[in-house]
Amino acid sequence: MDISPAARHYVRRLLVEHPAIRSYINRDTHPLGMKEEYLERYIHLEHLTYPQLNQLEFIIELHQKIRINEPHQTHQLQRLEQKIFDLLGIELPIAPHSYNTIENSPSSCDWLIKPQNDPSRHEAATLSEYYHYFRKITEVATPHLDKMLVTNYWLLTRPRESWLAKIQVAQFYNPTFKPPDQLLAEREAATLQQWICDFIQHCCRILPSLPRLLLAANIPCQLLWALVG
């Protein structure tokens, strides 16, 4: 398995922007100069397993969405770049960027974090909003996994907190269910986000492409951030 041509192109663009790579290429007498094809020498995928290739594609797509929609989130973007380079086996220092040079087609991403450098922080959220996320994630996962398996994974990964007993997994399949519009405390929202993360990671044992499917379904980036590792 290989990554998509679009993902390879994006990696080459990240490489050509990195100061260390740019400096090296500028000194090189290779006739291709700064052409992106020359950067292929840095992209090695042979050592990656199938789940790692899926993770690489997911991180690339997540970086692209955040860069388009929230370019001021430089800390998150730099961390994603470092993870991409680590997976490729490239030793490069974290470099500052102005994240405005890559041209991409528009896409949407509900990046709900506050303007600090901590993606685990939460804006005020409601239980109704999280029911929507649970239903959407269930909707994406169920066609690829057995419904009973999806239900069991939700139950298996549910945090052991008493207040979560009122959240019925059966309602994740019911689009007409109207949960209370209860405002969540930051700790409660963090607990629900951890539940979602644990569920996705459990599903990834069978369906490694699930994070990418969720990203394509416009699940908020903040709910997927913990999957970066």
Side-chain angles (χ1 to χ4, degrees):
M1 177 183 172
D2 197 355
I3 58 175
S4 67
R8 294 186 77 97
H9 172 78
Y10 197 78
V11 170
R12 292 197 301 266
R13 294 302 300 273
L14 290 178
L15 286 169
V16 81
E17 288 182 336
H18 195 284
I21 298 293
R22 180 178 291 275
S23 173
Y24 176 78
I25 294 178
N26 284 343
R27 295 196 309 268
D28 203 300
T29 58
H30 194 282
L32 289 179
M34 288 292 291
K35 288 187 177 179
E36 293 181 5
E37 291 80 359
Y38 183 46
L39 297 168
E40 281 291 326
R41 63 160 66 180
Y42 298 101
I43 303 176
H44 302 290
L45 307 174
E46 301 82 8
H47 64 288
L48 297 181
T49 64
Y50 177 73
Q52 287 174 323
L53 286 169
N54 272 285
Q55 184 188 27
L56 177 60
E57 289 250 22
F58 163 66
I59 296 173
I60 291 169
E61 292 167 9
L62 183 61
H63 185 284
Q64 185 175 10
K65 281 203 169 188
I66 297 174
R67 183 165 185 167
I68 292 170
N69 292 278
E70 297 291 338
H72 64 277
Q73 300 287 356
T74 55
H75 177 74
Q76 286 76 31
L77 289 166
Q78 288 170 347
R79 181 178 168 189
L80 289 171
E81 284 187 22
Q82 195 63 49
K83 188 67 176 180
I84 290 169
F85 295 152
D86 288 347
L87 282 169
L88 292 173
I90 304 173
E91 295 185 6
L92 288 173
I94 296 177
H97 288 284
S98 59
Y99 295 112
N100 58 3
T101 58
I102 288 185
E103 296 179 1
N104 295 289
S105 58
S107 62
S108 60
C109 175
D110 298 321
W111 187 243
L112 302 179
I113 65 172
K114 296 179 182 180
Q116 282 94 357
N117 285 338
D118 182 3
S120 65
R121 296 182 65 88
H122 303 271
E123 295 284 5
T126 65
L127 184 59
S128 178
E129 290 171 343
Y130 271 88
Y131 257 104
H132 170 73
Y133 300 149
F134 284 127
R135 281 199 293 263
K136 187 67 176 178
I137 293 168
T138 301
E139 178 185 326
V140 172
T142 301
H144 304 275
L145 302 170
D146 181 77
K147 180 179 178 180
M148 182 178 296
L149 189 63
V150 171
T151 300
N152 287 340
Y153 281 179
W154 279 123
L155 294 173
L156 181 65
T157 57
R158 179 162 56 186
R160 298 181 182 277
E161 296 196 23
S162 58
W163 69 273
L164 292 175
K166 63 184 176 182
I167 298 181
Q168 300 298 315
V169 172
Q171 301 299 348
F172 297 174
Y173 300 92
N174 183 4
T176 63
F177 174 69
K178 300 295 183 184
D181 199 29
Q182 171 190 339
L183 190 65
L184 296 172
E186 184 171 333
R187 180 188 60 82
E188 293 172 327
T191 298
L192 293 179
Q193 180 166 330
Q194 186 61 52
W195 185 7
I196 288 172
C197 178
D198 291 344
F199 168 80
I200 296 171
Q201 288 179 326
H202 223 76
C203 291
C204 280
R205 300 176 182 180
I206 301 174
L207 185 64
S209 61
L210 182 58
R212 296 173 57 205
L213 295 173
L214 296 174
L215 197 61
N218 291 321
I219 295 299
C221 295
Q222 73 169 55
L223 298 181
L224 304 175
W225 175 260
L227 301 171
V228 173

